[in-house]
Amino acid sequence: MAAVLENQPLQELDEWDDFVASRYKEGKSEDEFRNYKADANPTVTEFYRQNHAYQTLQFVLGKKAEYCGLTRGQKSIWEMAEYLNQLVDDSDPDTDLTQIEHLLQTSEAVRKDGHPRWFVLTGFVHDLGKVLCLYGEPQWAVVGDTFPVGCAYSDQIVFPEFFAANPDSQVPEYQTKYGIYEPNCGLDKVHLSWGHDEYIYQVTRNYLPEPAQYMLRYHSFYPAHRHGAYKHLMTEHDERMFNWVRAFNPYDLYSKGRERPNMKEILPYYQDLVAEFFPDKINW
Ligand SMILES: [Fe+2]
Ligand SMILES: [Fe+2]
């Protein structure tokens, strides 16, 4: 049990999402942002300590080999959403949303703004990759702001001081500006820290249009989409596509305060929507 808790400092995964939302609270100035540590409670801080210490290039390559072949069986989007719902928080049942409710709140906000159906669907599936937690992955390998491994860490990543404990920080080849990458090689060639973004991108990539793929794959890549870091690894096409990532981000960040979705009322719409883009079962 102690070993489990050691790897699970957050009481619930949403603690990380809440911290990110507080960092980018609407109306917050750049100066206030720089004081983000004031918003981080000890469990969030411990979470980042682990995330930054353990996400090495070798770890990421290992997880990609383990998961990106999608060999964990076939399930429908709905079965996976039900499965993810097991990650229920029991500390405050009145105010906390289930995982499906977070997904629907995000997608409903997208829908209300009149965006295309694929955009709504992207909101609905965007956090399904958090099932990694139920596969037994530690929190630091499921959530957290993502960042490239195998090259120098940007100072736009939160808690940069925690990278000192990462073994990669002792590998000179990985600590140059470009590291193992070529200038402007394109993000598809860059390995980001492992988490729920890359996994849901891999699962859904054959069924959704390219802007959706970018939204899913990079929605936690805050150093790039919020702070403009790592442009030296991006192509012009990546930069254009990041307009979509930025368009998606407010729906993820700020959907929580909105009203609770009326599941019964909206479910038929989502059943149609999922069936329009996905076959009954897909590989996970
Ligand atoms: Fe997410
Ligand atoms: Fe989310």
Side-chain angles (χ1 to χ4, degrees):
M1 195 63 192
V4 172
L5 286 176
E6 247 167 57
N7 266 333
Q8 316 289 348
L10 305 173
Q11 282 174 22
E12 42 167 322
L13 278 190
D14 286 14
E15 250 185 279
W16 169 71
D17 303 85
D18 293 345
F19 168 66
V20 175
S22 70
R23 248 164 54 202
Y24 300 113
K25 215 161 119 200
E26 277 160 310
K28 210 165 184 172
S29 69
E30 197 46 35
D31 271 354
E32 287 173 293
F33 165 75
R34 279 195 217 99
N35 195 24
Y36 64 83
K37 283 176 196 169
D39 296 329
N41 63 33
T43 59
V44 166
T45 305
E46 172 61 13
F47 162 79
Y48 278 104
R49 193 193 61 73
Q50 294 182 4
N51 176 273
H52 288 9
Y54 302 146
Q55 291 268 2
T56 61
L57 173 63
Q58 201 192 0
F59 174 79
V60 171
L61 295 177
K63 286 298 156 190
K64 285 188 161 180
E66 187 179 344
Y67 287 112
C68 293
L70 307 181
T71 55
R72 298 189 66 100
Q74 294 208 312
K75 272 199 173 86
S76 70
I77 292 286
W78 292 104
E79 285 171 307
M80 230 28 174
E82 284 298 331
Y83 182 50
L84 182 67
N85 241 10
Q86 290 175 27
L87 280 183
V88 184
D89 164 53
D90 45 18
S91 63
D92 191 354
D94 290 334
T95 56
D96 281 1
L97 296 167
T98 63
Q99 297 291 326
I100 288 185
E101 284 175 315
H102 167 61
L103 292 173
L104 285 171
Q105 247 185 0
T106 304
S107 59
E108 279 294 279
V110 174
R111 178 152 79 123
K112 288 206 175 89
D113 281 353
H115 290 296
R117 285 168 72 82
W118 62 261
F119 194 156
V120 180
L121 182 58
T122 303
F124 180 57
V125 301
H126 82 278
D127 274 343
L128 284 183
K130 288 181 179 174
V131 294
L132 286 169
C133 233
L134 297 163
Y135 297 165
E137 292 298 334
Q139 291 168 342
W140 56 264
V142 180
V143 294
D145 315 47
T146 57
F147 53 86
V149 292
C151 62
Y153 306 112
S154 164
D155 58 9
Q156 298 299 319
I157 306 169
V158 291
F159 294 105
E161 65 274 23
F162 290 152
F163 285 119
N166 188 307
D168 284 359
S169 69
Q170 306 307 316
V171 182
E173 191 201 348
Y174 298 165
Q175 292 310 317
T176 62
K177 180 176 178 186
Y178 293 103
I180 62 170
Y181 309 110
E182 299 292 326
N184 301 101
C185 60
L187 285 183
D188 188 47
K189 293 200 174 71
V190 174
H191 302 291
L192 298 194
S193 52
W194 176 255
H196 70 287
D197 301 52
E198 178 71 16
Y199 183 50
I200 195 59
Y201 157 74
Q202 292 290 346
V203 167
T204 59
R205 56 186 289 193
N206 293 329
Y207 308 106
L208 296 175
E210 191 181 24
Q213 296 172 33
Y214 269 81
M215 290 173 180
L216 295 175
R217 197 176 199 181
Y218 302 113
H219 74 272
S220 304
F221 192 12
Y222 284 88
H225 70 68
R226 278 309 272 234
H227 304 285
Y230 295 107
K231 286 205 167 110
H232 56 283
L233 297 176
M234 294 166 74
T235 60
E236 279 176 26
H237 184 68
D238 286 330
E239 291 211 40
R240 272 195 301 277
M241 285 291 137
F242 261 55
N243 289 326
W244 289 107
V245 181
R246 278 185 283 273
F248 172 72
N249 185 243
Y251 297 108
D252 187 14
L253 277 186
Y254 308 126
S255 57
K256 270 205 167 172
R258 298 168 203 258
E259 65 197 272
R260 213 168 185 128
N262 181 338
M263 296 279 280
K264 224 177 138 191
E265 207 175 283
I266 61 180
L267 217 53
Y269 169 87
Y270 284 95
Q271 277 158 345
D272 279 356
L273 183 62
V274 169
E276 182 183 333
F277 287 87
F278 291 103
D280 182 28
K281 307 240 180 209
I282 57 173
N283 292 322
W284 292 85

